[in-house]
Amino acid sequence: MTGVGVDAVIPGAVVALLDAADADTLLRDAESLAEGLVDAGWTPEVESGRFSAGGWDVLSSAWAPAVSVFLDGDAREVRRAALSVAAALTADADGWRFETEGPDWSRWSVDDERWDADEIDWLQWRGRGVVVSLFTAPETPAGPGTLPAHLQLAIERADTPEEGFTPDEARDRRIVVDGSVVERWFLVGSPGLADELLTALENDPDPRVCAAADSERWMRERSPDEPSTSV
């Protein structure tokens, strides 16, 4: 896929991530997910599950392994990037099966009038045991301000239930005690993580886990109704 000529519009890390998207490798488990993202050119941040590259951000989770890639900014540049992602996936015709319930905006130009007139829906590609979903939105009102134009590229296992998985406190406790550093780092941002387990992770022997837990605690204290970060 790296030869489709999109690298000038989207970072090589995005192209490499699409190349690596596979349920048996990238999305196999926590260790594979972290290693695959780093190998693709993404840099881990302090927050649990967060990576970055070239002005793009990744939020990821390990149970079940999943990745959401985000970009926001000028509407035309966001559209151009979304079209480049779609072109990269479409160019790999043998690897992906395309589907959408709405208009196929992957074939529009950046200045097509339908961006503003039509209701944009998710585009999806299936293959390699994963589902790749792509969405873009213009600047939208949000409370007293606005949300900038943005895109989201989600990569999930095809066998993940639509409603996701329920919290598993027994697993969480096992990981706090016996999990790897990578598993504990991902666990910090796991939805439904018990407060006492977050406290234990704040005192983890690895500084990366401690830093992620401190960040999660800071967010919990400012968002009491949303105690954890999820993809």
Side-chain angles (χ1 to χ4, degrees):
M1 189 182 298
T2 54
V4 298
V6 299
D7 302 64
V9 178
I10 59 177
V14 175
V15 180
L17 181 58
L18 294 174
D19 283 338
D22 190 298
D24 295 327
T25 52
L26 178 72
L27 300 187
R28 185 174 68 245
D29 53 34
E31 301 285 348
S32 298
L33 178 58
E35 182 179 354
L37 283 164
V38 170
D39 287 348
W42 296 86
T43 300
E45 300 293 342
V46 171
E47 295 90 345
S48 170
R50 185 181 291 272
F51 296 76
S52 63
W56 295 54
D57 293 299
V58 156
L59 291 180
S60 59
S61 62
W63 301 282
V67 172
S68 281
V69 187
F70 297 92
L71 174 72
D72 59 36
D74 175 76
R76 294 186 79 258
E77 293 307 311
V78 167
R79 292 173 187 170
R80 189 185 306 277
L83 291 171
S84 295
V85 171
L89 288 161
T90 301
D92 190 7
D94 294 333
W96 303 105
R97 183 180 75 256
F98 174 74
E99 56 187 50
T100 181
E101 295 183 359
D104 181 7
W105 49 264
S106 69
R107 300 180 180 275
W108 298 354
S109 70
V110 172
D111 297 311
D112 195 299
E113 295 180 355
R114 288 173 292 182
W115 288 107
D116 298 317
D118 284 4
E119 183 176 346
I120 305 301
D121 203 348
W122 289 84
L123 304 183
Q124 287 192 334
W125 291 261
R126 294 177 179 269
R128 307 176 193 170
V130 304
V131 179
V132 179
S133 304
L134 180 64
F135 179 76
T136 184
E139 183 178 275
T140 54
T146 59
L147 288 176
H150 61 276
L151 69 79
Q152 179 179 356
L153 169 67
I155 305 173
E156 303 172 298
R157 293 182 60 94
D159 58 6
T160 301
E162 288 188 12
E163 66 276 12
F165 291 101
T166 57
D168 186 342
E169 187 168 335
R171 177 207 63 197
D172 295 348
R173 291 183 181 279
R174 176 187 60 78
I175 291 172
V176 168
V177 175
D178 295 323
S180 68
V181 171
V182 169
E183 287 178 317
R184 300 197 308 273
W185 182 73
F186 273 115
L187 181 63
V188 167
S190 183
L193 181 67
D195 189 77
E196 64 182 278
L197 297 184
L198 178 60
T199 298
L201 293 167
E202 287 178 292
N203 296 288
D204 192 273
D206 190 280
R208 291 167 293 180
V209 178
C210 288
D214 287 344
S215 176
E216 178 68 15
R217 177 69 69 187
W218 186 90
M219 289 187 286
R220 286 192 181 195
E221 291 175 349
R222 284 151 183 79
S223 302
D225 295 330
E226 298 180 7
S228 59
T229 303
S230 63
V231 174

